[in-house]
Amino acid sequence: MMPMLWVAAVCCWSFVVVFLVDGWTRPGYAWVRQPVSALALGRRGWVQTTSFLVCGTAVAAGALVGREALGSGLLAVVVGVFGLALVASGVFPMDPMRGYPPGTPDTTPEETSWRHRLHDHAGVVAFAAVPLAALAAVFALPEVWWKVYSGTTAALAGGGLLAFGQAWEEDSRRAGLLQKATIAVGWLWVGLLFVRAA
């Protein structure tokens, strides 16, 4: 059980490292504007797709085998749902739009594919699961430090989800930055939660 919990933690943090490095080095990718999911498009899209699949599988497996160590059945279920939503985000990629991959019109299509719509639904589940898991941890974990940290994460991740959603709808030039900051906060917490369980 313990090795899987460590694997899940490392995969959470590796997910952040992958999109940071890949995004900074990807030709034509607007790091501040475009979302992490756009990195799953184009010739190097396999890098981000693999990151979705590996991280999501590891998180779901960690939640399953470590459900007792996580401190709460509800907490384990929400974290597991988060992992499965990441897998779905990798299986169903978003559509090319807003200038990426290079050569794509700098607009949002009036109609999107069924894959894109499933990707959107999976993304909402993943981003909502993190603050919900953190909120569950406030009530489930006994340590005061963890209660404070989890409550802060719930507020930041929840606020980040709302801010990113609005920025995406408005095609804000900072939408990608808001999303990446929200991911960094949430995935760091999930990783540390697995370390605590291990």
Side-chain angles (χ1 to χ4, degrees):
M1 178 178 70
M2 188 175 296
M4 189 66 247
L5 296 175
W6 280 102
V7 168
V10 171
C11 285
C12 284
W13 304 330
S14 296
F15 183 92
V16 176
V17 173
V18 166
F19 76 66
L20 287 174
V21 174
D22 194 27
W24 278 115
T25 60
R26 184 79 69 92
Y29 178 76
W31 200 89
V32 173
R33 178 192 181 193
Q34 290 161 342
V36 168
S37 294
L39 291 170
L41 304 173
R43 292 174 61 185
R44 274 170 54 179
W46 64 270
V47 175
Q48 183 58 47
T49 297
T50 301
S51 186
F52 273 126
L53 298 176
V54 171
C55 181
T57 301
V59 168
L64 179 63
V65 303
R67 58 189 179 278
E68 293 183 7
L70 285 171
S72 161
L74 176 61
L75 178 56
V77 167
V78 179
V79 171
V81 168
F82 166 63
L84 294 176
L86 288 180
V87 172
S89 296
V91 172
F92 305 108
M94 69 176 288
D95 289 345
M97 62 177 64
R98 301 184 182 180
Y100 195 83
T104 302
D106 193 17
T107 57
T108 303
E110 291 186 8
E111 293 189 11
T112 56
S113 69
W114 63 271
R115 291 181 181 83
H116 181 91
R117 292 191 292 274
L118 287 175
H119 181 87
D120 276 354
H121 294 321
V124 169
V125 171
F127 276 94
V130 173
L132 289 176
L135 188 61
V138 172
F139 298 97
L141 304 183
E143 302 93 341
V144 173
W145 184 89
W146 264 100
K147 289 181 181 294
V148 172
Y149 178 37
S150 298
T152 302
T153 298
L156 291 176
L161 168 60
L162 296 176
F164 168 64
Q166 181 176 355
W168 178 257
E169 290 301 317
E170 298 172 353
D171 191 11
S172 167
R173 297 290 168 171
R174 295 185 176 84
L177 182 62
L178 284 169
Q179 186 204 39
K180 291 173 180 71
T182 303
I183 290 173
V185 169
W187 276 235
L188 172 64
W189 177 83
V190 175
L192 290 174
L193 181 69
F194 279 118
V195 169
R196 177 192 177 277

